[in-house]
Amino acid sequence: MIPIFDSKRQYKLIGEEAEKAVCEVMRSGSYILGKNVQALEKELAEYLGCKYTVGVNSGTDALHIALRALNIGKGDEVITTAFTFVATAEAIGMVGAKPVFVDINPDTFNIDPDKIEAAITPDTKAIIPVHLYGQPCEMDKIMAIAQKHNLRVVEDCAQAIGSSYKGKKVGTFGDIGCYSFYPTKNLGTMGDGGLCTTNSEELKEHIIALRNHGSHVRYHNDELGLNSRLDEIQAAILRVKAKYVDEWDRQRREHAAYYNKLFANCPDVQTPVEADNTYCVYHQYTVKIPNRDEVHKMLGEAGIGAMLYYPIPLHFQKVNAWLGMGKGSLPHTEADTECVISLPMFPEITKEEQETVAKTLIDCINKSKSKVGV
């Protein structure tokens, strides 16, 4: 079995150090918003190149709180992509706003900036670009549109810590950047965790209050907030792992290059496109193939842990049926969700395992084609 991600291999590298950090927290008696959260926020601000970061308890909450901090709410529209995890649009709905989906660039899987302006209405208040699979969006175009129309920008960086566009790390272009520390992420903890980034002191203070019941001063609650504090133990683990994230991202890029080489002579496998002026961190290595569902089933039977990120675009999800977007409304999104498959990708994967994955995928594609008489 070759898994899509193997946390146990990573644990062999950092386990002893992480255990020591966790034990120190337990002995300290300080478990909520302690010195590790404060230190992590400072360290990640320096790493990402922004003024402030605020730890929260998940990437979903990061998005939700970001929209709240920007006063996005009922009657507002937020432009985003339907080719993403449900949390992106979920956060929009949670504040009472309406998601407005536009199509993607079929090569990068990211929101197509050239489609954004046509979707803007008097009710549009923000854009959420998603740096999917660790591939940065075209942030200069997106920011130019936002500035022209006086829109706020929340970057969904859940899969993209360490990614950069024209030398600048994602999450630092817009008003607020949102990160996830889910265990399988490039920088993942051993539970849930998230982060908001900003260069605005006002937004930073608002985010801090929102994560703690809408309170700036204990027992003085100015607005409805959440209990969304990054756990001290998880922060301690993240501080250990953060020291390795650049090396892990470098290894992911090496693995992506090797996969590209292995598939170079296979026209049935369309490998990822790394756009100009970008540094992709390959949270996922996602290819496009024929007969995807059949091949996916065959890979599972062969012990290859491939995954479908994502098989159903958000405008086809039941929760978004009220938007009334029918088939053909987002042609590139709909086409790509029917043919994408993500292959095993993590820093510790070996070349031999990659070779097995590649050979098995090609064999499964050929078998699937023979079944349908192609």
Side-chain angles (χ1 to χ4, degrees):
M1 175 70 182
I2 302 175
I4 187 79
F5 178 82
D6 192 343
S7 58
K8 292 181 180 179
R9 298 192 206 185
Q10 187 182 85
Y11 187 77
K12 288 181 180 179
L13 173 66
I14 55 89
E16 185 175 339
E17 197 175 354
E19 287 176 6
K20 180 181 177 182
V22 169
C23 287
E24 287 177 356
V25 172
M26 291 192 292
R27 286 191 292 265
S28 74
S30 177
Y31 306 135
I32 301 293
L33 297 181
K35 67 177 185 179
N36 280 287
V37 171
Q38 295 169 17
L40 177 71
E41 290 173 342
K42 181 179 179 181
E43 290 158 7
L44 288 182
E46 292 174 356
Y47 172 73
L48 294 167
C50 63
K51 289 184 179 179
Y52 312 106
T53 72
V54 181
V56 295
N57 78 355
S58 70
T60 303
D61 269 10
L63 290 163
H64 178 196
I65 289 171
L67 292 172
R68 287 281 308 279
L70 294 169
N71 298 312
I72 308 297
K74 187 175 181 180
D76 296 335
E77 294 180 352
V78 180
I79 294 172
T80 191
T81 169
F83 197 165
T84 180
F85 184 56
V86 67
T88 308
E90 187 175 45
I92 298 170
M94 288 170 71
V95 299
K98 175 184 177 181
V100 175
F101 298 120
V102 301
D103 214 351
I104 60 170
N105 178 320
D107 293 326
T108 66
F109 307 115
N110 285 336
I111 192 169
D112 186 344
D114 295 334
K115 301 284 199 310
I116 292 175
E117 207 153 12
I120 295 173
T121 75
D123 294 325
T124 306
K125 295 297 187 294
I127 306 169
I128 301 183
V130 181
H131 306 289
L132 197 69
Y133 306 141
Q135 170 66 51
C137 296
E138 295 179 80
M139 290 308 301
D140 52 356
K141 291 185 178 181
I142 292 170
M143 292 307 300
I145 294 168
Q147 290 162 12
K148 177 181 176 182
H149 295 277
N150 194 29
L151 303 177
R152 311 309 290 264
V153 175
V154 175
E155 294 178 68
D156 185 336
C157 311
Q159 301 181 354
I161 193 162
S163 293
S164 60
Y165 178 74
K166 294 186 175 180
K168 183 178 179 180
K169 284 190 169 64
V170 300
T172 63
F173 290 86
D175 296 280
I176 302 175
C178 300
Y179 292 83
S180 168
F181 297 133
Y182 188 77
T184 59
K185 296 296 193 285
N186 292 34
L187 176 59
T189 189
M190 297 178 185
D192 268 319
L195 189 82
C196 291
T197 62
T198 186
N199 287 312
S200 164
E201 184 175 6
E202 180 183 356
L203 287 175
K204 181 256 295 186
E205 292 298 328
H206 198 176
I207 292 166
I208 287 173
L210 286 168
R211 77 172 174 184
N212 192 30
H213 302 286
S215 173
H216 289 280
V217 179
R218 180 174 286 189
Y219 305 130
H220 292 256
N221 304 91
D222 302 323
E223 61 182 317
L224 291 175
L226 297 87
N227 179 1
S228 184
R229 302 170 296 221
L230 177 63
D231 185 87
E232 182 73 1
I233 285 178
Q234 301 302 339
I237 294 168
L238 286 166
R239 291 186 69 200
V240 171
K241 287 190 171 188
K243 294 181 288 187
Y244 299 92
V245 70
D246 278 344
E247 174 61 17
W248 290 338
D249 284 347
R250 185 192 64 78
Q251 291 171 336
R252 286 172 177 270
R253 288 177 58 81
E254 285 186 356
H255 300 329
Y258 193 53
Y259 269 138
N260 290 345
K261 181 179 178 181
L262 293 171
F263 294 124
N265 297 316
C266 182
D268 285 324
V269 179
Q270 184 175 329
T271 55
V273 174
E274 187 166 351
D276 293 339
N277 300 308
T278 65
Y279 184 88
C280 177
V281 295
Y282 292 97
H283 172 63
Q284 300 295 342
Y285 181 86
T286 302
V287 298
K288 294 196 261 190
I289 60 171
N291 308 321
R292 193 273 312 280
D293 290 343
E294 177 68 18
V295 171
H296 182 221
K297 179 181 177 183
M298 295 166 70
L299 286 172
E301 293 169 349
I304 305 298
M307 294 289 287
L308 307 183
Y309 303 115
Y310 298 93
I312 304 173
L314 294 189
H315 65 304
F316 286 172
Q317 294 283 0
K318 184 177 180 180
V319 68
N320 293 317
W322 66 279
L323 297 174
M325 299 182 70
K327 190 172 179 61
S329 55
L330 301 175
H332 293 312
T333 298
E334 293 163 27
D336 279 3
T337 52
E338 292 181 356
C339 66
V340 294
I341 190 166
S342 298
L343 305 180
M345 170 58 82
F346 48 94
E348 302 82 11
I349 194 171
T350 67
K351 284 191 172 183
E352 291 75 19
E353 287 174 317
Q354 286 189 270
E355 290 162 4
T356 299
V357 170
K359 182 180 184 303
T360 306
L361 177 63
I362 293 169
D363 288 346
C364 289
I365 291 172
N366 290 334
K367 288 176 183 176
S368 74
K369 290 170 69 176
S370 67
K371 281 186 179 182
V372 297
V374 176

